[in-house]
Amino acid sequence: MAISINSAELLKVLETTPSEQNIMLTGRHGIGKSQILEQYFSSIGQKVVILFLGQMSDPGDLIGLPHIDEKTGKTDFIPPYWFPTDGKPVVLFLDELNRARPEVLQTIMDLTLNKTLAGKKLPEGSRIISAVNEGEEYQLTDLDPALVSRFNIYEFRPTVEEWLLWAAKKGLDQRVIDFISENPEILDGSEFRREDQGLEKTPDRRAWERVSNLLANHTIDEYSKKIIAGIVGMSAAAKLFDSISKHRLLSAKEILLGEFSKIKEIIKSYSTPDLAIVNESLYRFIEAGSYEKSDSKKIAANLEAYFILLNEEDLHEAQAHFANLYTSANYKNSLVFIMANCGKLYNKMMEFIRSI
């Protein structure tokens, strides 16, 4: 079994693994593998070439077409469209590796060992990263042990919190963010997957982004409900709309930018699990920078008022959770914000931490 890593750990793997070593990521579809790779390598000036091996019907799709070299009279291969000709290193991302036809897999044996394809070598410093799906629900090709041995293998399992923070930074619909925050098991649809599901739709992370885009541009009516059921499946869609209609926690924006005196009674009515969700949303809001700089004083004052309310109402578990999040590596920007703008809150949290 491969070692599991989350998004933050994947970035460390990409940063520290030498270019001559290949990386294989296993995991479900729609969890952001290619997106993270593209963002990371683009940030350091390296081009990412994505090849969907499962869509290739012939080795020629990978190595290019043969032709006769007029000078030597020997057969050569015209480099495919993606092959680098400028001498600059590339990151070759072999997606759907275990969906490739056996003859295509044979073609990449030399590529993964020597960075060579049909006699042409990739530029020095080029990397090879592959992604494979695992699970009985996929139609897969068994991989040759000799090929597998040429990769460092990691099971990519990004956390729900990482997705929620990404969603907040990207500005996804708050109703979707709140729903997943309250129902984390539904993000990847694990509770809906069955061996005999056939074509039944189940949710994944890409699907929830599509739901967010639809909700942001349409009112919720019977027509939009049917569209969303086609995106995440009937069961997940029903739970989403039930959550929206029956129970909605105050958003971080409402708490941090509203009149706190008007929402105190609502917050006091929340259970400890509800307050834990609110705590996370407050930190995500600040971490994502989802506010104008001119609002910093307002946010600081309401954040302190919120923490004081937890103390006044003897909600010590929620208070401890809030203080613990301050030390989390997930919220570095929030830590800086509190230190710079919330001196009283910082002192109160330190006093609380020392008291427990």
Side-chain angles (χ1 to χ4, degrees):
M1 180 179 293
I3 186 170
S4 295
I5 58 174
N6 59 31
S7 298
E9 292 167 332
L10 173 56
L11 292 176
K12 285 292 185 183
V13 168
L14 298 177
E15 181 182 341
T16 57
T17 302
S19 61
E20 61 269 17
Q21 295 184 18
N22 305 322
I23 296 171
M24 178 184 293
L25 302 176
T26 72
R28 295 193 70 244
H29 64 280
I31 57 176
K33 297 185 289 291
S34 58
Q35 187 177 56
I36 290 178
L37 292 175
E38 284 191 283
Q39 289 178 348
Y40 172 76
F41 286 110
S42 294
S43 71
I44 61 174
Q46 281 196 284
K47 180 181 179 181
V48 178
V49 177
I50 301 178
L51 299 178
F52 294 98
L53 300 189
Q55 299 176 11
M56 295 183 176
S57 59
D58 183 89
D61 295 338
L62 183 63
I63 65 177
L65 298 176
H67 76 113
I68 301 296
D69 188 314
E70 295 181 355
K71 293 182 179 180
T72 64
K74 297 181 179 180
T75 300
D76 196 2
F77 288 86
I78 301 173
Y81 73 93
W82 58 266
F83 198 90
T85 57
D86 56 4
K88 295 181 180 179
V90 298
V91 179
L92 198 56
F93 181 44
L94 307 178
D95 204 0
E96 302 178 341
L97 183 68
N98 59 342
R99 290 176 180 267
R101 298 168 67 91
E103 55 268 31
V104 174
L105 288 175
Q106 290 299 319
T107 303
I108 67 169
M109 293 291 281
D110 194 28
L111 180 63
T112 55
L113 183 61
N114 300 312
K115 303 289 195 304
T116 301
L117 190 64
K120 296 178 176 62
K121 195 169 184 64
L122 292 174
E124 190 69 26
S126 292
R127 296 174 178 270
I128 295 178
I129 300 175
S130 70
V132 301
N133 295 132
E134 281 194 329
E136 295 181 358
E137 66 266 38
Y138 300 109
Q139 295 180 353
L140 305 174
T141 303
D142 290 334
L143 296 178
D144 189 310
L147 176 61
V148 173
S149 70
R150 298 172 188 184
F151 289 90
N152 303 342
I153 303 177
Y154 305 95
E155 180 186 10
F156 182 49
R157 298 186 65 180
T159 65
V160 174
E161 185 51 48
E162 286 174 329
W163 186 87
L164 289 169
L165 183 56
W166 168 86
K169 289 181 177 179
K170 192 161 184 180
L172 265 60
D173 190 280
Q174 191 61 44
R175 289 167 292 184
V176 172
I177 294 176
D178 291 344
F179 175 67
I180 297 301
S181 181
E182 295 176 43
N183 304 275
E185 72 283 356
I186 297 181
L187 176 60
D188 296 310
S190 57
E191 69 171 49
F192 301 119
R193 291 198 296 275
R194 303 192 306 270
E195 291 184 6
D196 61 343
Q197 69 180 15
L199 287 177
E200 183 178 343
K201 193 72 174 70
T202 57
D204 57 51
R205 299 178 185 219
R206 283 195 298 249
W208 286 117
E209 183 178 4
R210 295 200 296 272
V211 169
S212 170
N213 293 338
L214 192 143
L215 286 176
N217 296 297
H218 297 83
T219 57
I220 298 178
D221 53 25
E222 290 306 311
Y223 184 68
S224 63
K225 287 182 179 180
K226 287 185 177 181
I227 295 176
I228 289 174
I231 298 174
V232 295
M234 293 182 63
S235 298
K239 286 195 173 187
L240 170 66
F241 293 120
D242 183 63
S243 173
I244 291 174
S245 63
K246 289 185 177 179
H247 176 65
R248 187 185 75 81
L249 298 176
L250 289 168
S251 70
K253 185 175 181 179
E254 290 171 316
I255 295 174
L256 296 177
L257 295 179
E259 293 300 321
F260 194 81
S261 60
K262 296 181 179 180
I263 59 175
K264 285 180 64 174
E265 295 304 315
I266 298 176
I267 294 174
K268 288 162 62 174
S269 71
Y270 288 166
S271 65
T272 297
D274 284 342
L275 289 170
I277 293 170
V278 170
N279 289 344
E280 295 272 7
S281 72
L282 297 178
Y283 275 90
R284 278 198 303 271
F285 183 85
I286 298 172
E287 189 70 19
S290 307
Y291 57 92
E292 300 294 333
K293 294 299 180 184
S294 57
D295 292 325
S296 295
K297 288 186 178 179
K298 179 77 170 178
I299 293 171
N302 283 359
L303 199 62
E304 181 176 352
Y306 174 78
F307 189 78
I308 290 174
L309 179 63
L310 297 182
N311 183 63
E312 291 176 345
E313 297 300 314
D314 293 327
L315 298 169
H316 295 310
E317 286 187 43
Q319 199 176 10
H321 179 259
F322 184 94
N324 185 60
L325 289 176
Y326 179 78
T327 63
S328 169
N330 293 329
Y331 301 115
K332 295 179 181 178
N333 294 338
S334 303
L335 184 152
V336 172
F337 178 90
I338 291 174
M339 291 184 66
N341 300 280
C342 312
K344 292 182 179 179
L345 173 60
Y346 174 80
N347 291 332
K348 290 180 182 297
M349 282 200 298
M350 294 302 102
E351 290 175 10
F352 178 79
I353 292 173
R354 285 194 292 267
S355 70
I356 58 177

